[in-house]
Amino acid sequence: RSVRRAVGLGEELWLRMGAELEWEVSEADLDEVERAGKEITDGVKYPSVKDGWAEMYRKGDPSKDTDALIIWRKPMNSGAFEYLVYGGVPYSADSMFEVNNDLEVHKSWDSSSGEMFIKSTMNETELCYWEILYPWPMSVRDYSYVRRVRRVPVDGRTKYVVYSKAVVSDELPEKKKKVRVTDYLSKSVILPETDKS
């Protein structure tokens, strides 16, 4: 935002156009998530130490067990961590998607979530707002992010590919007394159950 205030009128218009382009979650973004998910579920490429990943937790084999889970993490330049989770749950892909992505359903089970809503939609990409209510002494955090979902038919069921990332948007300005999260990125593949699981 400090850059925006320092630029001239012509550059300001260009920055706003750039922000609208930032809004877009492309087919290529979804392709990359779907490809990476397939590599992990097929056992072709798990996260590795040489790529900076460390395995934090393992329970069972997610390709065989519905309650299995593997969690990896990797440090980011900001000092925070990127996480990758691969696991099975004893629920349908449709239920898992609904519980995590329908904002009204999400609020019903996540007591740390405050205000959540879809502000607008452009080219199949939704601009969303999410508020996290942290207890004192931490500040409330909020997110302005875009999200796009690809639904892929698989033997009469649905696979969900979800890509979400933080964005700056004039439609969702920062609010006083809330810390805006600006480096949020979430990529998910939710697979339907198969004969193996």
Side-chain angles (χ1 to χ4, degrees):
R1 283 182 0 162
S2 58
V3 172
R4 258 195 185 170
R5 284 188 228 125
V7 297
L9 183 60
E11 292 169 309
E12 174 73 17
L13 177 62
W14 181 83
L15 281 175
R16 286 187 185 193
M17 289 171 55
E20 287 179 12
L21 293 174
E22 186 180 277
W23 237 76
E24 185 73 25
V25 175
S26 69
E27 286 293 322
D29 293 331
L30 293 170
D31 290 344
E32 184 269 325
V33 174
E34 192 168 2
R35 180 198 49 75
K38 183 167 177 33
E39 287 178 349
I40 291 169
T41 58
D42 289 352
V44 173
K45 184 178 180 190
Y46 275 13
S48 69
V49 173
K50 73 175 181 143
D51 294 327
W53 292 97
E55 188 174 302
M56 295 181 51
Y57 179 83
R58 179 184 289 261
K59 176 187 173 194
D61 181 349
S63 68
K64 299 176 186 165
D65 308 318
T66 59
D67 64 344
L69 184 67
I70 306 173
I71 302 173
W72 297 270
R73 83 175 185 178
K74 176 172 138 177
M76 299 186 318
N77 292 336
S78 67
F81 288 92
E82 178 178 352
Y83 290 86
L84 197 150
V85 179
Y86 174 37
V89 294
Y91 309 106
S92 72
D94 295 334
S95 294
M96 186 72 178
F97 174 79
E98 181 89 8
V99 162
N100 284 287
N101 290 280
D102 181 300
L103 301 184
E104 288 304 313
V105 172
H106 191 116
K107 282 195 297 190
S108 73
W109 63 266
D110 183 358
S111 61
S112 70
S113 288
E115 212 177 346
M116 295 177 81
F117 57 86
I118 297 169
K119 178 69 176 176
S120 57
T121 302
M122 181 172 68
N123 300 332
E124 299 179 32
T125 300
E126 300 168 321
L127 175 63
C128 305
Y129 179 79
W130 181 17
E131 177 185 69
I132 304 291
L133 308 173
Y134 283 108
W136 184 88
M138 293 181 68
S139 298
V140 171
R141 305 291 198 262
D142 70 351
Y143 298 74
S144 168
Y145 68 98
V146 290
R147 172 178 73 182
R148 185 167 174 193
V149 177
R150 175 187 288 164
R151 291 168 175 81
V152 181
V154 178
D155 298 328
R157 300 181 195 141
T158 304
K159 171 172 66 174
Y160 299 91
V161 180
V162 184
Y163 188 105
S164 302
K165 65 179 178 178
V167 294
V168 174
S169 172
D170 292 339
E171 291 185 61
L172 292 170
E174 292 185 32
K175 298 180 178 186
K176 289 182 180 180
K177 298 185 180 181
K178 295 181 183 169
V179 176
R180 178 60 52 95
V181 176
T182 58
D183 60 357
Y184 170 69
L185 177 64
S186 176
K187 304 173 188 178
S188 305
V189 178
I190 303 171
L191 299 166
E193 53 286 327
T194 65
D195 295 336
K196 295 189 303 184
S197 61

